Structure formats: structure tokens, C-alpha cells
Amino acid sequence: MVVDQIKAPVQKEMDEFEHKFRESMKSSVPLLDKITHYIVKRKGKQMRPLFVFLSAKLCGGVTESTYLAASLIELLHTATLVHDDVVDDSNERRGFFSVNALWKNKIAVLVGDYLLSRGLLLSVDNNEYRLLQIVSNAVREMSEGELLQIEKARRLDISEEVYFEIIRSKTASLIASCCACGAASANAGEETIKKMHRFGEIVGIAFQIKDDLFDYGTGNGIRKPTGIDIKEKKMTLPLIYALNKASGTEKRAIVNTIKNHSTNPGKVTEVIDYVIKSGGIEYATQKMNEYKQTALKIITDFEKNESRNSLEQLVIYTTERKK
């Protein structure tokens, strides 16, 4: 598996992190312990801790602060996911029941609050204020990005500029904080921390554009279009491009379909077909590849070693993954 190869330079550290992260979530309240155990068992690929450890190794080496940084980010990230599922009224997360589906909204919100507090205390108790500052900024930006998207979704009038601001805040800020925290935990200077933050931000934007493209399928028959973003009235880059190219009449018709008929599969397919025919997929792919190349260029400023190689492979994986 590609991800396993990418992890190779920090596999030992990632394994040790697993144990430390489980410890950081423990509680004396049986219900809370049961729920956090459920969350840990259903974790994803752990891409964010991977960015932390590879960035640290690139910028001087993994330290105890690196483990703390990875735990802090995972705690705060998990808290935002639990809260997101409540906000979105979602019953699934990575193919499993979400916390709110199993234990209802009130408990899910309190679990999210608990995870948030664990992250804050982990930083404060260990005097890791620089890491706390980096991650707290990311959480603030994520909240702002979500609210900006909700505000704009009501009118379906998102410009390309606003779209990039939303995804920079919503998705890219967290990956940026992973890379910045990794550098900071390795005692890198401020310039290096800023450079790694920028690197993570660019990778995060490319990652989100790739997610947008999944809504329209893979283009090779492996993955069929889902139209989920259209059903949820989310304005993504392929759709924004198509609307910018559309005539006034076409634009009104598409916006009307998204506003009033987004639950009709036939109508959603019509929008998908229009976006594909208008060149929206090619345009978004081109933009994604531009961000990919920018990220790869930033990383060339660092010494060539196995950590840099893995980060380069991680950038490529981000834009070429199949799910």
C-alpha cells in the first residue's frame, strides 16, 4: 500500500504515537471512556499525525514535543469531526455510525467539548504554548470557513476567490498546522515554521480540490459520480467554473435546480453532465496540479532525505488517490 511506504521513515514513531494518543483520551467516566474507545478503534489513515512526524524529521528530528503536537492535533481534529456530525445531522463517519447516531446530539457535543479540553490541557500542562497557538489558530479558521460557507450557500453566489478562502480555512488550515507544529516541535526557526505552514496550506488546498472532483467520479469508470456536494448545495470549483462560463439563462436554470431540485437524482445528473461538458473537471484538475507543483517546489528548499521524499510522495498521493 502506498501510504505504508510513505510512513516507513516514521513508522516506529507512529506506532508509539498510537499508544500515547490512546492514553491522552482516557477518562474516569465510564461512558466517556466507552465512546473515546469507539472513536479510536475507527480512526482513518491518520494522515495528519503523519504530516506532523515527517515535518519534524525533515526540520531537525522527532522529539517528545512532536508526540504531543500529533496528539494535540488529533484531539482537536476529532473534536471538530464529532461536532461537524452534529451540525450536519450526519449518521455516518468513515462507514461507521457517528457518535451522535449512537449516543444522540447532547452527548456528542459534550464528547467534542471533552476532547477539545484534553487538547488544551495537554498543551498547557506541558508548557507547549507555541503548539497551542498554531493549532488554536487553525480551529478558529476552520470555524470561520464553515460559517462563511453556510452564509454563501444560501445564495449560491460563491466566487472563485471566496471558494479558495473557504477551503483554505476549512481544510487547508489544519494540514498547515500539522506541518508547522512538526517544525516547531523540532525546534526549527520561525522562518522554517512559516515555510512548513505554507507548504501544508498548499497541500490542503490541493487535497480539497481532489475531494471536489470525486463528486463527478474518477473519469475512468472506477468511481461513479456521487453528486453529494450538489445535493448538499455546496459550491465546488468545477461547478463555480461552469457557472462562470454559463449564459444568464443557463446559470439561472442551474442555480434553480440546485436550490429547488437537489434531491431529484435526474436533475442532479443534469447538473453533473453540464459541469463536465463545460470543462469544469479539466479546469479544477489543472488548478489542483498547479497547487501540487507549488507544494513540491517549496519542499525542495530542504535537504534531500527520506523524510523529504515521503512528504513529496504524500503530496502526489493526495492528488492521485482514488478515494
Side-chain angles (χ1 to χ4, degrees):
M1 188 184 173
V2 178
V3 177
D4 290 338
Q5 292 166 357
I6 293 169
K7 277 184 184 177
V10 290
Q11 188 62 63
K12 182 170 71 71
E13 290 88 345
M14 290 284 287
D15 291 341
E16 194 175 334
F17 161 72
E18 290 272 329
H19 173 71
K20 289 176 183 282
F21 181 57
R22 278 198 298 272
E23 286 296 311
S24 73
M25 289 180 92
K26 278 191 173 171
S27 164
S28 57
V29 177
L31 174 61
L32 199 44
D33 218 32
K34 183 181 179 181
I35 295 170
T36 54
H37 181 69
Y38 176 81
I39 291 169
V40 169
K41 272 180 70 179
R42 282 147 188 81
K43 67 187 185 316
K45 296 190 191 87
Q46 292 203 292
M47 302 294 279
R48 286 159 190 84
L50 183 54
F51 272 111
V52 175
F53 283 107
L54 287 173
S55 297
K57 209 151 199 178
L58 182 73
C59 297
V62 171
T63 66
E64 273 305 309
S65 291
T66 312
Y67 290 101
L68 196 140
S71 292
L72 168 60
I73 283 169
E74 277 295 89
L75 283 164
L76 298 188
H77 175 55
T78 306
T80 61
L81 293 182
V82 172
H83 283 163
D84 279 352
D85 287 338
V86 174
V87 170
D88 298 338
D89 199 20
S90 175
N91 291 323
E92 267 195 23
R93 168 70 60 182
R94 298 191 188 109
F96 295 98
F97 284 118
S98 58
V99 172
N100 52 300
L102 292 173
W103 287 281
K104 307 302 178 193
N105 284 350
K106 186 184 286 189
I107 288 175
V109 170
L110 292 169
V111 168
D113 290 347
Y114 169 76
L115 295 172
L116 197 61
S117 71
R118 289 296 297 146
L120 299 174
L121 284 169
L122 195 63
S123 317
V124 174
D125 290 347
N126 290 279
N127 297 316
E128 293 284 6
Y129 300 110
R130 184 69 179 101
L131 299 180
L132 181 58
Q133 181 188 38
I134 292 167
V135 180
S136 296
N137 267 325
V139 175
R140 172 184 59 79
E141 288 194 295
M142 287 160 70
S143 303
E144 288 175 345
E146 284 283 1
L147 288 164
L148 180 58
Q149 186 173 52
I150 290 167
E151 178 192 352
K152 294 294 182 180
R154 289 174 182 158
R155 297 199 299 272
L156 297 177
D157 64 347
I158 294 179
S159 66
E160 199 171 305
E161 184 184 359
V162 171
Y163 162 83
F164 277 110
E165 177 54 29
I166 289 170
I167 69 167
R168 188 197 63 74
S169 304
K170 256 187 71 175
T171 305
S173 62
L174 192 63
I175 297 176
S177 73
C178 293
C179 299
C181 280
S185 75
N187 300 309
E190 280 303 313
E191 277 307 306
T192 301
I193 293 170
K194 281 180 186 170
K195 187 172 283 185
M196 289 306 294
H197 188 279
R198 180 64 180 152
F199 167 75
E201 188 173 80
I202 298 292
V203 176
I205 291 170
F207 179 93
Q208 186 57 55
I209 298 173
K210 181 66 173 179
D211 262 10
D212 291 356
L213 288 165
F214 280 144
D215 214 41
Y216 297 89
T218 53
N220 54 14
I222 293 171
R223 184 178 176 134
K224 291 177 182 173
T226 61
I228 291 168
D229 288 336
I230 294 167
K231 289 168 196 164
E232 293 178 357
K233 301 176 187 176
K234 283 182 185 169
M235 297 291 283
T236 59
L237 190 56
L239 179 58
I240 291 165
Y241 177 83
L243 287 173
N244 285 341
K245 298 276 285 183
S247 66
T249 309
E250 287 171 329
K251 188 171 182 175
R252 280 190 296 274
I254 294 164
V255 169
N256 177 59
T257 297
I258 296 167
K259 271 187 177 176
N260 304 309
H261 306 287
S262 62
T263 55
N264 181 327
K267 292 287 186 183
V268 170
T269 300
E270 283 177 20
V271 175
I272 289 170
D273 290 343
Y274 184 84
V275 171
I276 291 169
K277 283 172 189 165
S278 73
I281 308 305
E282 286 86 349
Y283 178 76
T285 303
Q286 177 201 324
K287 281 286 181 187
M288 177 186 71
N289 286 328
E290 285 173 12
Y291 279 99
K292 176 177 81 173
Q293 292 307 323
T294 302
L296 291 171
K297 189 170 187 301
I298 291 171
I299 212 82
T300 57
D301 289 346
F302 293 87
E303 183 188 343
K304 184 77 175 163
N305 55 31
E306 59 176 7
S307 302
R308 186 181 123 181
N309 182 57
S310 277
L311 279 169
E312 287 169 347
Q313 292 306 310
L314 197 47
V315 173
I316 293 163
Y317 170 77
T318 292
T319 53
E320 293 181 3
R321 63 201 159 95
K322 297 291 185 280
K323 61 180 179 178

